[in-house]
Amino acid sequence: MPTIIDGKKTSDQIKSEIAARVAEIKAEGGKIPHLAAVLVGNDGASQTYVGAKVKACEQVGFDSTLVRLEETVSEEELLKVVEDINQNPAIDGLIVQLPLPKHIAVEKVTDKIKPEKDVDGFTPANVGRMTLGWPAYVAATPYGIVELLKRYNIETSGKHCVVIGRSHIVGSPMSILMARNDYPGNCTVTLTHSRTKNLPEITRTADILIVAIGKPEFVTADMVKEGAVVIDVGIHRIDDPAKKSGFRLIGDVKFDEVAAKASAITPVPGGVGPMTIASLLYNTLLAAERKVFQ
């Protein structure tokens, strides 16, 4: 049986560590970390994600502010809200929940966020700093994966890491983090995507396979080397009449058959997902303590 890389358990550990630090800050009379989230529209998934982030702030003792805006808000109005939060010294971290309505340019909004408050790690300043190996807020999902590899003592130095998916949120930063001169890191990295030819031949050479392609059960056993470490970033809701809820969650990896070959694997749900919020909280703590941008 492979090692099951438990993101729920690990995220709970991280939250406990953060809560302990917040208790110290409070005892010292310091400033409590404060995260602001901006939610545009009524997308169900976005509301769930933001709600979970606000709840997580309460769990660790952070202050939080949720700004709700109508779907019809203009780009100019949204940028004004972002700028107001930028200028508010009480707020340490700012996230704008994606996706945004089509009439708003995501790049404009991201670029407007002050790098010092960009706890999502999406601004050009933070992406550039991460690429150079400078102190930076690393995007929450890649950071969560790195932390899982570290806490499960997965050897990475000299290993071949194959990343499937090249999004700016997961795949691209993940490839940079795994190649850097650090632990986890020092991998030889191959970044693949939907246009990659002979993909199964490449994935079969991976010691560490990170799958973030957004396609349900895309990776099957024949694409995985015996003994590989498999990190599944995907999450998809599919109908399942056998479940009381009527649905179940699956990842980008066909779990049962791939687990039979892997030395370690993340489940869905309960793998990478919980780590994303834990990483966001960690970045907010760094922001509050001015540990990235001095």
Side-chain angles (χ1 to χ4, degrees), residues 10-28:
T10 306
S11 71
D12 286 344
Q13 290 171 348
I14 293 171
K15 287 177 187 175
S16 294
E17 293 163 10
I18 293 171
R21 177 58 191 143
V22 172
E24 288 176 359
I25 293 170
K26 191 175 288 188
E28 295 163 358

Side-chain angles (χ1 to χ4, degrees), residues 20 24 38-39 41 108 116-117 131 134 140 144 156 162 168 180 183 189 191 211 223 225 234 241 268 270 272 281 286:
E24 288 176 359
V38 178
L39 176 62
K108 277 189 183 180
E116 292 89 335
K117 297 192 179 189
T131 302
W134 294 5
T156 60
V162 175
H168 297 314
R180 67 183 178 171
Y183 175 73
V189 179
L191 179 60
V211 190
M223 298 173 69
K225 181 169 82 170
V268 176
V272 172
L281 295 173
L286 290 178

Side-chain angles (χ1 to χ4, degrees), residues 241-264:
K243 295 283 185 181
K244 187 177 179 181
S245 63
F247 69 89
R248 62 188 171 95
L249 299 175
I250 61 173
D252 287 355
V253 173
K254 201 160 189 177
F255 182 85
D256 289 342
E257 63 177 58
V258 171
K261 295 181 77 173
S263 62

Side-chain angles (χ1 to χ4, degrees), residues 42-158:
N42 300 303
D43 179 76
S46 292
Q47 292 193 66
T48 300
Y49 295 148
V50 170
K53 291 166 185 175
V54 170
K55 183 179 178 182
C57 285
E58 293 172 4
Q59 290 173 342
V60 299
F62 285 6
D63 292 330
S64 65
T65 297
L66 174 55
V67 180
R68 294 179 177 272
L69 300 172
E70 294 297 325
E71 182 92 14
T72 54
V73 68
S74 71
E75 185 176 271
E76 185 180 353
E77 288 170 318
L78 175 55
L79 292 173
K80 176 67 167 57
V81 168
V82 169
E83 184 56 28
D84 287 347
I85 295 173
N86 280 341
Q87 300 305 323
N88 186 341
I91 296 174
D92 303 297
L94 165 61
I95 60 169
V96 178
Q97 183 65 44
L98 302 179
L100 292 173
K102 291 182 180 178
H103 66 277
I104 297 174
V106 175
E107 295 80 6
K108 277 189 183 180
V109 177
T110 300
D111 200 36
K112 189 71 171 177
I113 298 171
K114 197 174 181 181
E116 292 89 335
K117 297 192 179 189
D118 169 36
V119 291
D120 257 339
F122 292 165
T123 61
N126 276 305
V127 173
R129 290 170 71 100
M130 177 204 68
T131 302
L132 293 170
W134 294 5
Y137 301 122
V138 177
T141 300
Y143 184 83
I145 293 169
V146 165
E147 196 64 21
L148 282 175
L149 294 172
K150 184 188 297 182
R151 293 187 182 228
Y152 274 83
N153 298 310
I154 304 293
E155 181 58 59
T156 60
S157 182

